[in-house]
Amino acid sequence: MTPTTDGHSHRQPALAAATLAALGIVFGDIGTSPLYAFRACFSGSHGAPIHPENLIGAASLIVWSLILVVSLKYLFIILRLDNKGEGGILALSALVRSCVRRAGGKDPKAVLLLGLAGAALIYADGMLTPAISVLSAVEGLSVSAPVVEKWILPICVGILVALFSIQRHGTGKVGVIFGPVVTVWFGTLGALGIAQLIKSPEVLMAMSPHSGLMFMIHEWHHAFPLLASVFLAVTGGEALYADLGHFGVKPIRMAWFTVVFPGLALNYLGQAALLIEDPSAIRAPFFLLAPEALRFPLTILATCAAVIASQALISGAYSLTGQAVQLGVLPRVKIHYTSEHSAGQIYVPSVNHLLAVACIVLVLAFKTSSALEAAYGIAIALTMTITSMLFYSAATSAWQWSKAKAAALTVVFLAVDGAFLAANTHKIIEGGWLPLVVGGAIFSLMLTWIWGRERLYKRLSKEALPIDGLVTELKRGHIHRVSGTAVYMSGRGNTVPTALLHNLKHNQVLHERVVLLHVATLDQPHAIPGEAIEHSDLGEGVHRVDLSFGFADTPDVPEALKAGLPEEVKFHPGKATYVLGRETYGVGSKAGALERLRLAIFAAMARNASPATAYFRLPPGRVVELGAQITL
């Protein structure tokens, strides 16, 4: 292709490559829904009767849910609410809070709570998606190779163990094959559907919303279970938003409308056509779409697609954890950066191990994907509802929409999301309680961490010495000075860090250059380079430095100080001494029972937090830790 003056020829290949990559990462979750979503509408004690009108109606509900929820809500509207290119419920919450504060309003605590609740529920969904995706794919063996049916659970556990074992190596090396594999998967979905539609073209009536509406009216007594089953087809919608920062809006939209939506719609219509011809195929309508000779290869392909879908959600859990730590709602955890070129490719061992155990326990406990369907859906339905609630605040603050305009669209979103959420409530007794309990526990831990940090800050502020007092003492010459530079991690106030006071108390000496460093996380993904550091010379060799990182940045403190401090400070990352406080916490005698419990949990989280050395990328050989006992 001959280059043009506007660079169009360069943009086209880049868009094609990004679209292919988006297929592999973004759409894995929603792409595996045909394995179980349509079957769920007609199986189990709550399933609707199988006859042509109902089958066409169910297909209509699923197709129009994909149009309304994924195409209209997420792709055309929600994806436009990016926080400097980043998406996801935490990024949306941070965007709203940032816009409100810039406009001079108070920090909306409700927005923070909604964001944290949504993030906690995504963690809960993260343990269910790999389990149900892999299990439903491997269950294809019961159709393609019945002789190994008794080995389905061991095979699932083996796949999950292998999947979580390779996470430490990073996804960069294998990521290049994800796109082509998922492209083949969606092509296969469409081809299987078309082959069956040729035999029963009357199923195309499902493209009219009237068929779905009539289905709901005729089967009104099955309405809630039906909507809960239909919702399984759109559970990957929130992932589109969460992965926005990796690819941008255009590749995600391009992939959806050219490959994903046609493949999904054709396959759901094909499953309806198959069941019109053979109602007994309800046991595995997806796999029975294929000729017998192709069912085993289809099982292999479905398993690969399920692994890729799981990989996308696992990686998302790592990214979410990194953002939560940066925003100060979770304690520091050990994070490994698996790519020299992309800071977004991270591996979090603690999250990986917890997810692995949870997925394996779920597979062994529920045993079948049909049983897991009872637990799956309600967490993501609640997350989607929270996203719709945050949309109102985002539209009025970020887009400057009128309250009436924002409220009108929010009501439409909540009507759809609310119906799906209400439908999923019947799952609570059958297993849906599990993700709600897990999400609630994570949400409580986040709130406890925030509460404990605020309490600790207030406690330290009461006994803190103003920085001006330290400078005054230094002017009097009563404090012995030694050569070199010491960096003390400091709070957000103008007080002397506890670690510095303990150093003076025990060592009675201070370096000739002292940097009081405060690290802040912004409500945006990346800090603006020219505004990432603020430096104040307080005199007597004491410097106040404020470093700012975005919630998607990697906080490399030595490199930021080296780049931002003036030459007269004589800062050399490898020669400076980094002094950190290592506090242990006690509970005051006046604390009540609930306070004692929360303080005990906070203290346990603090003890198990990853050391600041690795998190801030401090040279391990240059770090000194000073302990202190603090009563909260």
Side-chain angles (χ1 to χ4, degrees):
M1 183 182 291
T2 304
T4 59
T5 55
D6 65 355
H8 180 72
S9 63
H10 295 289
R11 291 198 301 269
Q12 288 297 97
L15 178 60
T19 301
L20 184 63
L23 278 169
I25 300 297
V26 177
F27 297 102
D29 185 7
I30 201 169
T32 53
S33 296
L35 290 169
Y36 47 82
F38 196 83
R39 179 193 64 196
C41 294
F42 298 94
S43 60
S45 58
H46 300 297
I50 299 177
H51 55 74
E53 291 79 9
N54 281 1
L55 292 166
I56 293 172
S60 177
L61 283 178
I62 289 177
V63 169
W64 278 94
S65 294
L66 291 171
I67 292 172
L68 294 175
V69 176
V70 182
S71 300
L72 178 61
K73 176 185 173 182
Y74 280 96
L75 285 163
F76 280 123
I77 298 174
I78 298 295
L79 257 64
R80 292 171 54 205
L81 282 168
D82 66 292
N83 191 342
K84 303 291 180 63
E86 290 289 328
I89 200 159
L90 273 183
L92 179 60
S93 174
L95 172 67
V96 173
R97 295 172 66 203
S98 178
C99 289
V100 170
R101 284 201 295 265
R102 280 202 302 267
K106 293 183 179 180
D107 190 3
K109 297 294 184 183
V111 170
L112 172 63
L113 293 177
L114 285 172
L116 296 183
L121 290 166
I122 289 174
Y123 278 114
D125 184 58
M127 70 180 189
L128 285 166
T129 297
I132 193 172
S133 296
V134 172
L135 188 53
S136 58
V138 177
E139 281 175 345
L141 291 172
S142 63
V143 175
S144 59
V147 70
V148 297
E149 185 174 359
K150 63 182 179 180
W151 295 101
I152 286 177
L153 288 183
I155 291 172
C156 283
V157 172
I159 290 173
L160 289 171
V161 169
L163 174 63
F164 285 100
S165 297
I166 65 171
Q167 294 301 314
R168 64 181 184 274
H169 300 296
T171 59
K173 294 180 180 179
V174 296
V176 292
I177 69 170
F178 282 7
V181 170
V182 176
T183 303
V184 172
W185 170 251
F186 282 113
T188 302
L189 293 183
L192 291 174
I194 290 173
Q196 195 63 44
L197 278 172
I198 293 174
K199 301 177 184 178
S200 305
E202 67 272 18
V203 174
L204 291 174
M205 292 171 58
M207 296 307 296
S208 166
H210 180 264
S211 300
L213 181 61
M214 289 297 100
F215 177 43
M216 289 298 295
I217 292 174
H218 291 153
E219 297 296 334
W220 59 268
H221 48 292
H222 293 293
F224 266 24
L226 278 172
L227 281 180
S229 299
V230 168
F231 181 72
L232 295 173
V234 298
T235 52
E238 191 71 26
L240 308 182
Y241 188 37
D243 287 317
L244 177 62
H246 294 288
F247 305 104
V249 174
K250 282 188 177 180
I252 293 176
R253 284 180 178 168
M254 178 73 72
W256 173 257
F257 287 109
T258 60
V259 178
V260 180
F261 177 68
L264 290 174
L266 287 169
N267 193 265
Y268 287 122
L269 293 173
Q271 290 189 47
L274 171 65
L275 291 171
I276 288 176
E277 180 183 322
D278 179 16
S280 67
I282 190 61
R283 62 191 178 95
F286 174 79
F287 290 103
L288 292 172
L289 276 175
E292 187 172 352
L294 297 179
R295 287 172 189 166
F296 185 73
L298 180 61
T299 302
I300 302 300
L301 179 60
T303 304
C304 292
V307 169
I308 291 172
S310 303
Q311 176 63 63
L313 212 83
I314 294 166
S315 300
Y318 299 156
S319 300
L320 188 66
T321 302
Q323 291 185 14
V325 170
Q326 275 284 71
L327 289 170
V329 299
L330 283 177
R332 291 188 302 269
V333 294
K334 184 179 291 185
I335 295 177
H336 297 306
Y337 296 87
T338 59
S339 172
E340 295 180 359
H341 309 291
S342 175
Q345 291 188 21
I346 62 175
Y347 166 64
V348 185
S350 56
V351 173
N352 186 70
H353 298 154
L354 289 172
L355 282 179
V357 172
C359 287
I360 292 170
V361 168
L362 284 171
V363 166
L364 295 177
F366 284 86
K367 293 183 172 58
T368 67
S369 61
S370 297
L372 262 175
E373 288 163 10
Y376 190 55
I378 189 165
I380 203 67
L382 194 49
T383 305
M384 286 184 170
T385 303
I386 291 172
T387 298
S388 296
M389 294 169 68
L390 288 173
F391 168 77
Y392 173 81
S393 298
T396 54
S397 60
W399 289 347
Q400 303 300 311
W401 279 16
S402 67
K403 291 183 178 180
K405 181 179 178 181
L409 194 52
T410 301
V411 167
V412 174
F413 287 163
L414 287 176
V416 177
D417 293 334
F420 282 132
L421 178 60
N424 275 281
T425 55
H426 86 277
K427 291 184 173 184
I428 294 176
I429 298 176
E430 301 173 356
W433 59 267
L434 180 62
L436 295 181
V437 169
V438 172
I442 296 172
F443 182 61
S444 299
L445 288 176
M446 288 178 171
L447 292 182
T448 298
W449 184 251
I450 295 171
W451 172 80
R453 290 185 66 197
E454 288 293 331
R455 191 180 180 104
L456 176 62
Y457 174 73
K458 291 177 181 178
R459 174 73 174 79
L460 294 177
S461 297
K462 290 180 180 179
E463 300 178 358
L465 174 70
I467 294 177
D468 292 342
L470 173 65
V471 175
T472 300
E473 287 296 316
L474 291 174
K475 287 180 179 178
R476 294 173 180 170
H478 295 159
I479 300 175
H480 183 63
R481 310 293 289 272
V482 294
S483 60
T485 302
V487 178
Y488 290 86
M489 302 299 290
S490 175
R492 53 181 179 265
N494 293 313
T495 57
V496 179
T498 304
L500 192 152
L501 292 177
H502 281 274
N503 180 54
L504 282 176
K505 178 180 178 181
H506 296 289
N507 299 323
Q508 299 178 0
V509 68
L510 206 62
H511 288 75
E512 62 180 342
R513 288 181 299 277
V514 175
V515 176
L516 304 179
L517 175 64
H518 172 56
V519 179
T521 301
L522 305 174
D523 285 332
Q524 61 190 51
H526 306 288
I528 300 172
E531 301 176 5
I533 185 169
E534 294 182 11
H535 167 250
S536 302
D537 188 344
L538 305 178
E540 300 300 317
V542 180
H543 302 266
R544 171 75 183 183
V545 177
D546 290 283
L547 281 181
S548 297
F549 294 99
F551 61 75
D553 286 332
T554 302
D556 190 333
V557 165
E559 188 60 34
L561 290 175
K562 179 182 178 181
L565 286 176
E567 291 185 9
E568 55 265 27
V569 179
K570 300 178 182 179
F571 177 78
H572 300 284
K575 295 181 179 180
T577 299
Y578 302 86
V579 185
L580 307 177
R582 171 67 76 171
E583 296 90 3
T584 55
Y585 305 106
V587 181
S589 58
K590 295 182 180 180
L594 180 59
E595 278 189 315
R596 285 178 174 275
L597 176 61
R598 296 189 75 183
L599 289 171
I601 295 173
F602 173 74
M605 293 172 74
R607 281 196 305 271
N608 290 282
S610 177
T613 305
Y615 184 75
F616 291 116
R617 297 201 167 187
L618 307 178
R622 304 297 305 176
V623 174
V624 174
E625 289 191 346
L626 296 175
Q629 174 76 33
I630 299 175
T631 302
L632 295 175

